[in-house]
Amino acid sequence: MKATERVGRASGDNLALGTWTPDLKRWGKPHYLAIAEALADDIRTGRLTPGTRLPTQRALAEALDLNFTTVSRGYVEAHKRGLIEGRVGQGTFVFDPARSARSGGSASAPRVGPVDFTMNLPPEPDTPALQARMQASFAELSGDLANLLRYQGFGGTDDDKEAALRWLKGRGIDTTRERLLICPGAHSALFSVLGQVARRGDTICAERITYPGIRALAAHLGLRLVDLPMDRHGVDPDAFAAACTKVAPKAIYLNPLLQNPTTASLPRARREAIIAVARRYAVSIIEDDAYARICPAPPPSFAELAPEITYYVAGLAKCLGAGLRLAFLVAPSARTALPLAGSLRAATVMASPISTTLATRWIMDGTADAIVQFVREESAARQRIVAALLPTGTYTADPHGFHVWITLPEGWTRSAFASQGRSAGLGVVGSDPFCVAGTPPEAVRLCLGGPATRQQITHGLEVLAHALEGSPALASTYI
């Protein structure tokens, strides 16, 4: 009796049944497509029944003498066709419409597309109660839609500023309305700050591996970025001091908490050391605190420790959603806030009243806190999947963050690893756009948020973990 026949005649709940071994030669197609065709044929003929447990991707790869990526692509293709389903913590099964209907799902198999690990987005809330709460807020905005579609005064209403001050106070920043500006996203805030603290040809210090956005903004303004060496705690204060004596920077840009992309966080002692250097050499600090609300107990911000020299930017993209396009900018003083306001007004006219009103409503009624709590808990769950699947020592991460920095083993290049991921429908970002100067390290960033589910995250990480554990030669994507 064939293996496929043995599988089809037994209960799908028996763990010993993952022994399906198809004959791929008969299909005359690339192996990953042949796997999907064989599944479809065996399901159609009854050799595989609904609910049958399938072999793990690793086991099937060994049985068919194929590389892991090829089998992974075959399972992804079968998912797309609605033939199979993954069950978190259990494995992969032939899709069972009756089981799905009993659990309240669709009568057809869920369609699973490629996992995009490239875009650094927070996990999207999927709990019905929170989704309903968020949607209700949108519906309530329609009651004042005519007003929200008009031009409004720059900087938001009094209610908007009150909400922003409450949000900032939750980070430990107690500031005044005169120092606060509401901006259409963190990029507009950073653009205006850079334009105020420096002129074309001036120098700005930044982490050696840093957020790509600051590189683009500096290039557009004609500013010179000087890189500072880092360790697992972030920028080296002594290197910053040396740069101050050598190149006289106008400012230092820092993404000091769950840094994008390395996940490093500056502890308080190092923040104080950087502040001491900045004060000594009259250097402004630009603090991009995008992830602060995600951490339950972050160290104090630069804006709290040294408000008189810090331009503080708190975007909402990484904690509530990138589409909100809103950021709160705190200037060192009311005097420095005035030219910033002029620059922002000239470049952007105003932040969208729709986005601002929605953010205000969410902050004041507690919805924003509920979203942040969801992002915290879901990010922690996804980091546990990372810890369970990726080889120890190959990556750095923070238990509260939703991105991972992978340092590739010897033999891998970032381009080869990214290509390997693409062949399995997985997008990763190589180190090149993050590197301020020098040769980029052989490393990639993985993002765990956005619309991807835990099941998709698990599948994608299994593929990448297998690649990391083996030789690049064994992971050839060519058939």
Side-chain angles (χ1 to χ4, degrees):
M1 184 181 295
K2 294 182 180 179
T4 51
E5 294 175 329
R6 288 200 305 272
V7 171
R9 294 183 181 183
S11 167
D13 290 332
N14 189 328
L15 287 172
L17 295 176
T19 54
W20 179 70
T21 310
D23 177 9
L24 303 184
K25 295 179 181 178
R26 59 179 290 211
W27 300 103
K29 294 183 177 182
H31 290 149
Y32 80 97
L33 290 176
I35 289 171
E37 295 289 355
L39 278 166
D41 186 63
D42 284 353
I43 291 170
R44 183 173 58 253
T45 59
R47 288 192 291 269
L48 286 175
T49 58
T52 298
R53 182 186 298 277
L54 294 170
T56 66
Q57 296 171 47
R58 192 182 300 274
L60 187 58
E62 292 175 355
L64 299 177
D65 195 25
L66 297 174
N67 69 55
F68 183 86
T69 302
T70 298
V71 173
S72 175
R73 291 181 71 189
Y75 273 30
V76 169
E77 180 65 26
H79 269 292
K80 291 179 182 178
R81 299 185 188 187
L83 302 173
I84 62 178
E85 61 182 336
R87 302 177 193 170
V88 177
Q90 300 180 52
T92 304
F93 298 78
V94 174
F95 178 63
D96 184 354
R99 179 182 181 278
S100 182
R102 288 195 302 271
S103 62
S106 168
S108 59
R111 302 288 170 162
V112 180
V115 182
D116 184 6
F117 287 131
T118 64
M119 296 303 293
N120 203 21
L121 304 169
E124 296 179 0
D126 60 1
T127 56
L130 183 52
Q131 285 184 332
R133 185 172 178 176
M134 295 166 68
Q135 290 166 357
S137 298
F138 274 95
E140 290 168 6
L141 293 184
S142 63
D144 194 30
L145 191 58
N147 185 49
L148 295 178
L149 292 176
R150 300 177 186 136
Y151 286 112
Q152 296 189 7
F154 178 81
T157 66
D158 287 343
D159 287 344
D160 297 331
K161 289 206 168 186
E162 183 62 32
L165 291 171
R166 176 183 292 192
W167 183 257
L168 293 168
K169 189 168 288 188
R171 176 64 177 102
I173 299 171
D174 192 2
T175 188
T176 63
R177 295 182 182 220
E178 291 74 25
R179 294 172 55 204
L180 171 65
L181 297 168
I182 298 177
C183 312
H187 268 231
S188 66
L190 293 170
F191 183 80
S192 294
V193 171
L194 288 172
Q196 176 161 321
V197 301
R199 296 292 179 264
R200 183 172 294 274
D202 285 343
T203 296
I204 304 292
C205 287
E207 303 112 329
R208 178 162 292 166
I209 304 295
T210 193
Y211 171 55
I214 203 67
R215 295 183 61 199
L217 293 172
H220 184 79
L221 291 168
L223 304 178
R224 177 191 176 203
L225 275 187
V226 170
D227 64 306
L228 299 177
M230 307 166 61
D231 59 19
R232 63 189 182 91
H233 295 303
V235 162
D236 179 354
D238 292 335
F240 175 39
C244 288
T245 62
K246 184 176 181 180
V247 299
K250 298 295 184 180
I252 178 173
Y253 166 83
L254 296 168
N255 178 204
L257 192 66
L258 305 185
Q259 196 246 15
N260 180 9
T262 68
T263 77
S265 290
L266 284 166
R268 176 170 184 150
R270 189 166 294 198
R271 291 171 187 243
E272 291 173 341
I274 290 171
I275 289 169
V277 174
R279 284 175 171 155
R280 186 188 320 152
Y281 293 98
V283 177
S284 297
I285 296 172
I286 304 172
E287 181 177 14
D288 186 356
D289 209 20
Y291 303 93
R293 294 304 292 262
I294 304 303
C295 294
S301 68
F302 283 93
E304 185 180 354
L305 297 172
E308 79 286 358
I309 59 171
T310 300
Y311 291 85
Y312 178 84
V313 180
L316 301 186
K318 305 304 184 187
C319 48
L320 299 183
L324 203 53
R325 305 311 307 147
L326 206 68
F328 303 139
L329 168 59
V330 180
S333 66
R335 181 181 60 81
T336 51
L338 290 175
L340 282 174
S343 172
L344 283 163
R345 187 183 293 109
T348 66
V349 180
M350 62 180 181
S352 164
I354 295 175
S355 294
T356 306
T357 302
L358 180 64
T360 294
R361 186 181 297 272
W362 279 356
I363 291 170
M364 300 305 282
D365 70 9
T367 301
D369 288 335
I371 296 172
V372 167
Q373 186 60 32
F374 170 85
V375 172
R376 284 178 181 172
E377 293 174 357
E378 185 61 24
S379 296
R382 295 179 184 210
Q383 289 290 355
R384 288 193 291 271
I385 296 173
V386 169
L389 294 177
L390 291 188
T392 301
T394 61
Y395 69 94
T396 57
D398 187 284
H400 306 297
F402 44 82
H403 63 278
V404 176
W405 184 243
I406 296 180
T407 301
L408 298 173
E410 184 177 356
W412 278 106
T413 65
R414 55 197 184 279
S415 60
F417 193 78
S419 176
Q420 175 70 8
R422 284 194 300 272
S423 73
L426 308 172
V428 301
V429 181
S431 60
D432 300 75
F434 305 103
C435 191
V436 172
T439 302
E442 300 300 348
V444 297
R445 185 193 69 181
L446 265 64
C447 301
L448 309 175
T453 64
R454 290 188 198 178
Q455 176 183 320
Q456 290 175 298
I457 295 291
T458 299
H459 166 73
L461 290 175
E462 286 174 343
V463 174
L464 297 181
H466 181 81
L468 289 170
E469 290 170 345
S471 164
L474 296 176
S476 172
T477 59
Y478 297 99
I479 299 172

